[in-house]
Amino acid sequence: MLEIRQLGLDGVLEIVPKRHGDARGFFSETWNAGRFAEAGIDLVFVQDNHSYSAAAGVLRGLHYQLPPRAQDKLLRVVRGSVLDVAVDIRRTSPTFGKWVALEVSAQMGNQILVPKGFAHGFVTLVPDTEVLYKVTDTYSPEHDRSIRFDDPDIGIEWPGLAGGFQLSDKDRKAPLLGLAEVFA
């Protein structure tokens, strides 16, 4: 019932649940703890988040929480589309500072799983985009961190959008990876 694809960094996965459609529309099971566990994804989600972005080019990230409040995230788009990015921030990892990106959209019905140890962000590709994501720990301001989306040492290839990016003050002021507090 699930199509799972590795995205090139250990633990970052694209998950495509099966859609059952007819003339009325479709039905899709986006999370089933037992079925995901059978596929090797055994997580306990404790919080759901919903993000709405009015314009294309809204960039949120790169965000993460430090241990012991680190979060796994399972993200899907229910309206619109995003380019979703995960950056390995585990200092001892052979892929430290490397990134992967995936377009996630309501039309494709795909999801991305971003495990602990990765910074996460996305940019909306179209107006009126809504994103839902599950996390394995609640928000903790004391453990919340961010990294600059345009850090040249990471080199994320964000899409060129006519209107540029819209960022929060937090994301605009985020430190570069080399100066950020990350996973040991």
Side-chain angles (χ1 to χ4, degrees), residues 4-21:
I4 299 174
R5 182 172 68 94
Q6 296 280 340
L7 293 178
L9 293 178
D10 187 33
V12 182
L13 305 172
E14 178 181 24
I15 300 169
V16 185
K18 183 170 179 55
R19 282 188 172 179
H20 306 276

Side-chain angles (χ1 to χ4, degrees), residues 1 16-20 26-31 76 109 111:
M1 297 272 289
V16 185
K18 183 170 179 55
R19 282 188 172 179
H20 306 276
F26 72 85
F27 170 83
S28 180
E29 189 176 85
T30 60
W31 171 253
R76 66 189 176 101
Q111 302 178 80

